Amino acid sequence: MTIDINIVEEGEELAKPSQAPMTGAVSAAPGRRRGKRPKLLFLRNSKAVAGLVILAFFFLIAIIGPWIAPYDPSARSEDVLQPPSWEHWFGTTHLGQDVFSQILVGTRGVIVVGFVAGILATAIGVVIGVTAGYVGGLGDESLSVLANVFLVIPQLPLIIIIAGQLPSVGGVTVAVVIAITGWAWGARVLRAQTLSLRRRDFVEAARSNGESTWRIITAEILPNLTAIIASGFVGTVAFAVLSLITLSFIGIGDTGEWNWGTVLYQAQSQLALQRGAWWWFVPAGLCIALLGMSLTLINFGIDEFVNPRLRSTAQNARSLRKRGIRPRIGFTPVVREAKEDRA
Amino acid sequence: MRFFLRRLGFYVITFWAAVTINFFIPRIMPGDPVRALIAKNQGRISTDAEAALRTLFGLEKETTLWQQYLDYWGLILRGDLGTSFAYFPTPVADVIAGAIPWTIGLVGIATIISFTIGTVIGSGIGWRRGTWADSLLPISTFFSAVPYFWLALIAITIFSVTLGWFPASGSYDRSLVPTFSWEFIGSVIYYGTLPALTIVISSISGWILGMRNMMVTVSSEDYVTVAQAKGVSERTVLFGYAARNAILPQVSSFALSLGFIVGGTLIMEIVFSYQGIGYYLFTAVAAKDYPLMQGIFLVITVAVLFANIVADFVYGVLDPRTRQEG
């Protein structure tokens, strides 16, 4: 049930020994825990909750942004290069455009491209990764070489040369290009995990019961990959957001379509730095950082949810310090649920 | 030995894939932007150069695709990447050759510094988990979430525009003639400090996080407990037992994430107007200089492949298991 993320990171041989202490801690009270397992364990993780709240906020802005924007983001006005004020919260550009409105309106483009690319890339990754891991043999070899080739080839220059040669680059096109170049990491991780699941007892049992391959994959293997698929998805969204913003920043894509990258592009090309117009590029960067942090926090939450060793480190740090224990080498991690049960 | 041969085979395949992608991209794109550019420069391009461009971008409709592919390989292997439009009539290969030492010097050194420092800090934090050192984690999360180029913008605002400590753009003092004099080298270092610092700050968090998580995992291994129990000094346990094993995945992830890092740092060069590959890629995109764009992509890929081979070699030295199998 518990999936050790290390297997995923480093192939089977390195991680096997490290699994032993962990399963020991988890199975300390095997019988009693079943049934009483707390629901929504994931949401008890403060990191995950913080990440989800920030992400929900940006989702809201993405939906209502264009309506609540105080000005038309492209409309020029007399107030040229104004620092932040009550009329213009984030100041104005060299043409008197309202930066706050540009950011509000631009959120939608960022979120849409990020999630469309994330969903597409995850889909490709799941299909290729699970197939490679489950089929094995020559099919596995060739699919993993394909994934590794895409991992090693620098994605950003590849995206640039593809997007740079397209005659018109809308948001969805960029999303598709990012997905085509960015699926490999998820596929690699999923393949490693499928490989280790494939020979587990419950899969063997299903196979000897005569279940079809399709059913084994969808009903036995995929549910056990949920956490990894989720964390791969979140990671890909973060990658897609960064790629989109970088592309817009260097002027690839539709510059009439607002997103945080185009705001930065304008700021850079209109010499905002030299004019000291910090309000022009600081908010967009902070938004990117916030969104990226929320995604990273969600991923930390998933990691800790999946790997109890990391969880116990994070949750018990303060209580350990209070008791004067310094967590170090050979320190057996105690899962909180197990401890509560024993008491 | 088998390990290295396998890896080498993989890199040959990757190189082939990169060249093939490069071959097909202009051919599957709608429209014919290159034809227009050639027509615009009619008479200024020599017939040889024009033929090379036609081969590179698939404008020879009369030959078969296979023949075009073979011709394309012929050009690539001879190092002919076509003629740059933006820097007409300089061949692309010459433009890239002029830019690449700057990139390797800046991005290469900064990446190695960042990897080394990040790994050391990460092992320290992982070792002392649950103490104040853990509070460094949220900070590094922040730095891993912001785009590299935005940090560069902030760095310029603070250190160049406001404080005036470092120049905001360029790679050396333009009044100097590039020679191997101390004055020139000093100028290169002075101009390179801020970009290098920004690269280190923005990429270091990834190494810290990776190493920290591996240290947490490794330090509860039995062999670490045994080493501690038999009274080996803490220093030796930390560096000889725990960090020694935790660094292995770190090296292999170095190889894999190199492409990502290089992509990010190339954009940095644009912000700093640093005359490396990234800056030329930017001008090529702006000027729709397709031969230069594709040439740069190929060269970056080859450079990343070389770095990967080096990382594999280091991994082989560090991990005896790769050398054992016959």
Side-chain angles (χ1 to χ4, degrees):
Chain A
M1 183 56 221
T2 33
I3 303 162
D4 192 343
I5 207 83
N6 305 310
I7 300 182
V8 175
E9 301 283 10
E10 235 327 277
E12 297 82 336
E13 47 171 358
L14 273 176
K16 247 178 204 148
S18 75
Q19 241 184 343
M22 187 188 79
T23 36
V26 171
S27 58
R32 281 188 292 156
R33 277 186 60 212
R34 202 169 301 146
K36 274 207 295 186
R37 240 188 106 163
K39 292 260 157 61
L40 294 174
L41 189 63
F42 183 60
L43 289 184
R44 285 171 48 183
N45 186 309
S46 57
K47 286 179 189 162
V49 170
L52 285 173
V53 167
I54 302 174
L55 188 62
F57 171 74
F58 279 116
F59 252 102
L60 188 69
I61 298 289
I63 296 168
I64 63 170
W67 289 309
I68 61 166
Y71 301 88
D72 178 352
S74 310
R76 304 174 182 201
S77 71
E78 308 285 284
D79 308 331
V80 175
L81 271 183
Q82 293 291 312
S85 62
W86 280 113
E87 286 78 47
H88 302 283
W89 286 10
F90 291 170
T92 56
T93 70
H94 67 300
L95 296 174
Q97 298 156 327
D98 184 43
V99 178
F100 183 55
S101 304
Q102 294 183 345
I103 297 220
L104 283 181
V105 173
T107 309
R108 183 178 289 179
V110 175
I111 297 282
V112 167
V113 171
F115 277 79
V116 168
I119 291 169
L120 280 178
T122 308
I124 303 175
V126 168
V127 169
I128 292 192
V130 174
T131 315
Y134 191 79
V135 171
L138 195 66
D140 176 26
E141 285 281 320
S142 41
L143 284 179
S144 16
V145 165
L146 183 70
N148 282 332
V149 163
F150 269 92
L151 266 182
V152 171
I153 291 180
Q155 286 107 336
L156 199 61
L158 181 60
I159 297 175
I160 290 176
I161 64 163
I162 297 178
Q165 297 193 21
L166 283 169
S168 67
V169 195
V172 179
T173 322
V174 173
V176 171
V177 174
I178 293 173
I180 290 173
T181 52
W183 54 269
W185 182 253
R188 185 184 146 92
V189 172
L190 282 168
R191 174 194 163 259
Q193 187 62 23
T194 312
L195 214 56
S196 90
L197 284 177
R198 188 169 64 133
R199 289 289 158 213
R200 299 257 175 108
D201 288 346
F202 66 96
V203 178
E204 291 289 5
R207 202 175 287 133
S208 56
N209 273 344
E211 286 185 12
S212 69
T213 310
W214 179 247
R215 202 190 128 73
I216 294 178
I217 289 182
T218 52
E220 310 285 348
I221 292 188
L222 276 185
N224 282 297
L225 294 174
T226 319
I228 295 175
I229 295 175
S231 92
F233 172 71
V234 173
T236 315
V237 171
F239 167 74
V241 166
L242 272 188
S243 305
L244 167 74
I245 284 160
T246 311
L247 283 183
S248 308
F249 176 69
I250 61 175
I252 291 178
D254 191 353
T255 36
E257 204 172 291
W258 286 109
N259 70 46
W260 301 338
T262 37
V263 174
L264 292 173
Y265 168 72
Q266 300 257 332
Q268 158 86 357
S269 57
Q270 299 303 327
L271 303 174
L273 290 177
Q274 284 74 5
R275 299 184 188 184
W278 54 270
W279 57 87
W280 200 345
F281 54 87
V282 169
L286 288 181
C287 283
I288 300 165
L290 257 182
L291 180 59
M293 259 175 93
S294 79
L295 294 170
T296 317
L297 284 175
I298 294 174
N299 246 351
F300 277 170
I302 297 175
D303 274 356
E304 288 179 8
F305 178 65
V306 164
N307 186 349
R309 196 186 315 236
L310 292 172
R311 194 192 321 166
S312 67
T313 317
Q315 287 184 338
N316 293 345
R318 197 177 301 136
S319 70
L320 286 177
R321 221 178 0 242
K322 221 176 277 168
R323 281 152 58 196
I325 299 175
R326 227 183 95 207
R328 294 197 313 183
I329 349 139
F331 186 79
T332 318
V334 182
V335 179
R336 209 159 73 169
E337 277 68 43
K339 202 174 70 186
E340 280 168 1
D341 272 3
R342 263 192 231 110
Chain B
M1 215 39 223
R2 252 192 84 210
F3 169 76
F4 288 111
L5 285 180
R6 252 185 88 94
R7 296 302 294 170
L8 215 60
F10 167 68
Y11 293 126
V12 171
I13 292 176
T14 313
F15 179 65
W16 166 80
V19 173
T20 307
I21 290 174
N22 230 358
F23 171 78
F24 277 110
I25 285 174
R27 283 168 176 78
I28 56 174
M29 288 297 161
D32 233 344
V34 182
R35 191 187 294 275
L37 280 169
I38 293 180
K40 206 178 84 187
N41 289 320
Q42 197 81 48
R44 291 164 66 203
I45 314 180
S46 72
T47 24
D48 273 2
E50 198 182 319
L53 282 175
R54 287 180 177 281
T55 310
L56 287 169
F57 287 91
L59 299 178
E60 301 160 314
K61 297 295 181 207
E62 62 274 16
T63 51
T64 60
L65 197 64
W66 177 244
Q67 187 57 44
Q68 289 180 30
Y69 189 58
L70 289 183
D71 291 346
Y72 185 79
W73 265 104
L75 283 177
I76 298 292
L77 291 181
R78 262 181 280 132
D80 188 348
L81 299 171
T83 311
S84 163
F85 290 131
Y87 301 92
F88 196 80
T90 323
V92 168
D94 290 358
V95 176
I96 293 177
I100 209 154
W102 295 101
T103 298
I104 291 182
L106 177 70
V107 176
I109 293 176
T111 306
I112 290 170
I113 292 178
S114 151
F115 176 77
T116 316
I117 300 179
T119 305
V120 171
I121 295 180
S123 46
I125 294 181
W127 193 246
R128 299 185 184 281
R129 63 175 205 259
T131 62
W132 61 270
D134 272 354
S135 59
L136 284 176
L137 289 179
I139 303 173
S140 60
T141 317
F142 174 82
F143 279 111
S144 66
V146 295
Y148 292 3
F149 65 82
W150 186 71
L151 272 184
L153 290 175
I154 299 295
I156 292 179
T157 317
I158 296 174
F159 293 108
S160 303
V161 178
T162 312
L163 295 174
W165 290 357
F166 294 105
S169 67
S171 47
Y172 60 87
D173 191 344
R174 294 290 156 185
S175 63
L176 295 174
V177 183
T179 46
F180 273 104
S181 66
W182 284 116
E183 202 189 359
F184 179 70
I185 293 172
S187 161
V188 168
I189 292 174
Y190 177 57
Y191 274 76
T193 308
L194 196 56
L197 210 66
T198 321
I199 293 176
V200 169
I201 288 174
S202 50
S203 60
I204 200 169
S205 58
W207 306 126
I208 296 183
L209 273 182
M211 190 64 183
R212 182 250 174 198
N213 283 350
M214 261 334 275
M215 280 298 276
V216 169
T217 311
V218 165
S219 59
S220 41
E221 294 280 354
D222 288 345
Y223 56 78
V224 176
T225 318
V226 169
Q228 183 83 354
K230 70 183 178 188
V232 177
S233 75
E234 178 147 352
R235 244 181 97 96
T236 320
V237 181
L238 169 57
F239 290 110
Y241 289 72
R244 179 72 175 76
N245 284 285
I247 203 169
L248 293 176
Q250 186 83 343
V251 172
S252 57
S253 82
F254 177 79
L256 281 177
S257 53
L258 208 62
F260 180 75
I261 295 169
V262 167
T265 46
L266 290 178
I267 307 301
M268 237 28 163
E269 289 183 353
I270 299 171
V271 179
F272 283 103
S273 306
Y274 199 87
Q275 53 174 8
I277 293 277
Y279 183 68
Y280 282 99
L281 182 61
F282 174 62
T283 50
V285 167
K288 300 207 178 305
D289 185 349
Y290 301 105
L292 188 54
M293 271 159 73
Q294 295 209 289
I296 286 177
F297 168 69
L298 257 194
V299 168
I300 294 172
T301 309
V302 170
V304 168
L305 285 183
F306 263 109
N308 265 282
I309 293 175
V310 172
D312 272 346
F313 188 73
V314 171
Y315 192 92
V317 170
L318 285 176
D319 189 351
R321 280 173 298 189
T322 54
R323 275 171 283 151
Q324 257 172 15
E325 44 185 331

